[in-house]
Amino acid sequence: MQSETILILGAGGQIGTELTMELRKVHGGANVVASDIRAAAPIVMESGPFETVDASDPKRIAEVIDQYKVTQVYHLVALLSATSERIGIPAWHLNMNSLFEVMELCVSRGIKKMFWPSSIAVFGPTTPKANVPQQTVIEPTTIYGMSKYAGELWCDYYFKKKGLDVRSIRYPGLIGYKSAPGGGTTDYAVEIFYAAKQSKQYTCFLNAESRLPMMYMPDAIRATLQLMDAPADKLSIRHSYNITGIDFTPAELATAIQQEIPDFKIDYNPDFRQAIADSWPGSIDGSWAKKDWGWVPQYDLQGMVKDMLLNIPVPATV
Ligand code: SER
């Protein structure tokens, strides 16, 4: 295998933490440069190089690329749906400008391969609700969704016009225990596990019937590595791939948790995030990812619930 030096922007985030560790297993700790605007989890800081990088500062990104002679970039920095709605236009600027800058740096530095995450947030109220096909009506109504969709178009453009082998996945809501999400609409599906383990009670900020596409983090990381390893000529989608995971409602997730913790209780107090969830579909058809690079998820709802509850730390006894 040709040796790679990988730069991860946003290595302290929910995906970045786990992806950094997996990539270090494959490529060796020293060959995966983690970066973020602030310190990442100790495991990331201690297992290989870490650089403080503000993704809105292209000079600093260039400096790190040159210092380490980077050959691949995973650009994971973004403000998620709920945070982007809260802060407005600056979220658009961060999400979009950092993507342009990183793609331009890849082109100018001869970096051929890049990963950039998109999201099921690209879909909007006019998208079919169930089994959303790869190509469909895409009219997002959130700032985050608009930035992801515009970004997908730019990925396709850079691939076609500038030969940058940029690859992307439309991640569903991601659930894991090694790193916390922040500012997303699907974050309830992580919070609920900590509440179940700690107080056996959770008040959900979405209503009981909000069905959303989700995925357990080990599947998401495996999908990412699998897509990045796939032969370029097999990839027919250069915007971003739909991938199949699991879909459930808060009520269904609560029932699955109650099978493990029978006295767990949930109630509902929807806030502004309900409107965001209502604009997104409930399930995704990932048949292009399956056909092009063999994507098949491993975790179902109960498998994910069991594994989460097993791995979340038990609360300290007082
Ligand atoms: N998990 C993201 C969010 O809720 C969707 O990609 O914003």
Side-chain angles (χ1 to χ4, degrees), residues 187-199:
D187 295 8
Y188 90 84
V190 177
E191 289 173 7
I192 193 172
F193 285 99
Y194 288 88
K197 217 61 196 269
Q198 283 159 14
S199 60

Side-chain angles (χ1 to χ4, degrees), residues 7 9 65 70-75 102 106 111 113-115:
L7 172 62
L9 297 161
I65 286 178
V70 167
T71 61
Q72 274 186 32
V73 180
Y74 287 66
H75 173 30
V102 172
C106 285
I111 294 171
K113 207 165 171 186
M114 173 177 161
F115 179 81

Side-chain angles (χ1 to χ4, degrees), residues 4-227:
E4 301 284 351
T5 304
I6 296 173
L7 172 62
I8 302 181
L9 297 161
Q14 190 195 13
I15 301 172
T17 304
E18 299 211 22
L19 196 53
T20 302
M21 298 314 295
E22 276 310 303
L23 287 169
R24 283 183 173 159
K25 270 189 212 156
V26 177
H27 297 274
N31 297 319
V32 178
V33 183
S35 77
D36 209 305
I37 194 165
R38 59 186 70 86
I43 190 166
V44 168
M45 307 290 295
E46 288 155 15
S47 55
F50 178 88
E51 295 289 337
T52 304
V53 173
D54 175 351
S56 62
D57 178 359
K59 278 205 190 93
R60 176 69 185 131
I61 303 174
E63 219 171 76
V64 174
I65 286 178
D66 294 343
Q67 181 187 340
Y68 289 91
K69 302 189 173 45
V70 167
T71 61
Q72 274 186 32
V73 180
Y74 287 66
H75 173 30
L76 308 177
V77 176
L79 293 169
L80 296 189
S81 58
T83 306
S84 294
E85 288 310 301
R86 272 202 199 102
I87 72 171
I89 305 294
W92 167 269
H93 288 313
L94 175 71
N95 291 0
M96 293 315 308
N97 293 350
S98 64
L99 175 60
F100 293 134
E101 299 292 1
V102 172
M103 289 199 296
E104 271 305 302
L105 280 169
C106 285
V107 172
S108 68
R109 300 300 198 274
I111 294 171
K112 294 276 179 275
K113 207 165 171 186
M114 173 177 161
F115 179 81
W116 177 79
S118 186
S119 160
I120 53 101
V122 296
F123 302 121
T126 50
T127 301
K129 282 283 170 211
N131 290 322
V132 176
Q134 177 69 42
Q135 283 95 4
T136 187
V137 178
I138 299 190
E139 294 176 333
T141 51
T142 63
I143 293 170
Y144 177 65
M146 292 189 292
S147 73
K148 286 296 181 189
Y149 190 43
E152 287 189 7
L153 299 172
W154 280 106
C155 287
D156 186 61
Y157 184 92
Y158 267 74
F159 171 70
K160 293 194 172 122
K161 298 277 163 69
K162 308 211 181 188
L164 177 61
D165 184 0
V166 47
R167 304 178 179 198
S168 179
I169 286 174
R170 289 174 179 155
Y171 289 118
L174 298 178
I175 300 157
Y177 58 88
K178 294 184 187 162
S179 51
T185 301
T186 56
D187 295 8
Y188 90 84
V190 177
E191 289 173 7
I192 193 172
F193 285 99
Y194 288 88
K197 217 61 196 269
Q198 283 159 14
S199 60
K200 303 199 173 166
Q201 198 285 328
Y202 181 64
T203 300
C204 184
F205 58 75
L206 298 182
N207 71 34
E209 303 311 324
S210 305
R211 179 172 302 283
L212 289 170
M214 300 277 188
M215 180 172 278
Y216 196 32
M217 193 60 97
D219 269 343
I221 299 298
R222 199 165 51 79
T224 311
L225 299 188
Q226 209 170 308
L227 171 61

